[in-house]
Amino acid sequence: MSILVTGGTGFIGWNITKKLVEKGEEVVLFDIAPPRRGQNIEELAPKVKFRRGDLAYWPEVLDVVKRNSIKEIFHTGAMLSEACEENPLAAYMVNINGTFNLLEASVLFGVEKMTFISSVASYSLGEAEVISSRSPQRPHSMYGVSKVCGELLGEYFNRRFGLDFRCVRLPSIIGPGRGGGGLSSYTTLMIQEPALGKPYEVYVTEDTRCPILYYKDAVNCLLKLHEAPGDRVKTRSYCIAGYNPTAGEIAGMVREKIPDAKITFRPDPEKTRIVKSWAQKIDEFEASDEWGWRREYTLEESIEDFIEEVRKNPERYI
Ligand SMILES: NC(=O)c1ccc[n+]([C@@H]2O[C@H](COP(=O)([O-])OP(=O)(O)OC[C@H]3O[C@@H](n4cnc5c(N)ncnc54)[C@H](O)[C@@H]3O)[C@@H](O)[C@H]2O)c1
């Protein structure tokens, strides 16, 4: 029996896969994109297999679930925010229809559990000062709409067919190799680029805040929810908070570790406006109360560890 990781060659999917292999699991990666630089699947064989395929294409989703005796799924494959806005039809096909395909295949072939990644971007802009797992979601973006649909479909399949669906709404995840996708990518790149000795120009104002979480905490969070006993998972879809620094504060912390870091600010008013409109205060009470979620890394430790990781293998991130 194997665990399927959709989006398995993506930033979060690949990092979950490495943890699952450490735990002795057999993992099947499903992704429309081939492995990235530094993702050496042969090294992890035969524990890890890669199957190239499209979530939006039912026969490929059905086939990967049917042929690999899948018992559990981490569903991380998705189009990210900017791509969804550029092509809403593709976002519908991949994020909404693709999630439906996976849920349907799960029920047909006896998958027991699915953990899905949603986003705090699934809340409406600026409506509530503090958002929690129980706050209403009325997203304005196609990405947010697709995430809410995924959550609702998963919860429906849980009620109707007993599939053990679980979900976290993550803030922006920072870490080596996240890349430039999504408007929050500056929170990663203003650490990664100076760690590589490169300059970075930040496209929001210094006082712009964005909720962020280190990728090692995000992966631990997903595993902790996935492994939590069934009777502890009551809410099913959980908000996860992270830290909420300004871009100026991140720059200051990076300069403490890399005194010659070349970080400059050239704010784009529209990008700044959008980032500032995101939920700033996130209440993660249900996640900590029901299954004991706690961050391990402080913000300072996250930045320090991030810089060390990049410096260990810079060729992976250039
Ligand atoms: N990174 C963040 O800050 C963040 C924050 C909140 C939620 N999330 C969610 O976490 C998940 C993983 O994000 P990530 O940061 O690893 O992004 P990523 O882009 O690195 O990974 C997503 C993967 O999905 C794959 N994919 C896209 N379309 C596909 C399709 N049609 N069929 C199969 N695979 C497809 C991509 O090729 C990619 O490898 C996504 O669902 C994302 O919405 C990410």
Side-chain angles (χ1 to χ4, degrees), residues 10-12 31-32 36 54-55 76 78 118 143 147 171 173 178:
F11 169 51
I12 297 177
D31 205 301
I32 200 162
R36 299 179 184 180
D54 185 349
L55 281 162
T76 85
S118 182
Y143 177 67
K147 288 297 182 191
I173 306 304
R178 177 192 151 168

Side-chain angles (χ1 to χ4, degrees), residues 6-14 30-34 36 39 52-57 60-61 75-81 90 93-95 116-121 143 147 168-174 177-179 181 184 187-188 213 222:
T6 71
T9 62
F11 169 51
I12 297 177
W14 177 249
F30 181 81
D31 205 301
I32 200 162
R36 299 179 184 180
Q39 295 179 345
R52 197 160 182 180
D54 185 349
L55 281 162
Y57 189 49
E60 289 176 351
V61 175
H75 180 26
T76 85
M79 285 172 58
L80 303 189
S81 53
M93 294 307 291
V94 175
N95 290 11
F116 172 64
I117 312 185
S118 182
S119 166
V120 296
Y143 177 67
K147 288 297 182 191
V168 279
R169 296 175 194 138
L170 294 179
S172 176
I173 306 304
I174 60 166
R178 177 192 151 168
S184 63
T187 54
T188 276
L213 181 70
L222 283 157

Side-chain angles (χ1 to χ4, degrees), residues 106-119:
S106 297
V107 168
L108 284 176
F109 297 106
V111 173
E112 290 158 17
K113 198 192 289 184
M114 181 188 299
T115 294
F116 172 64
I117 312 185
S118 182
S119 166

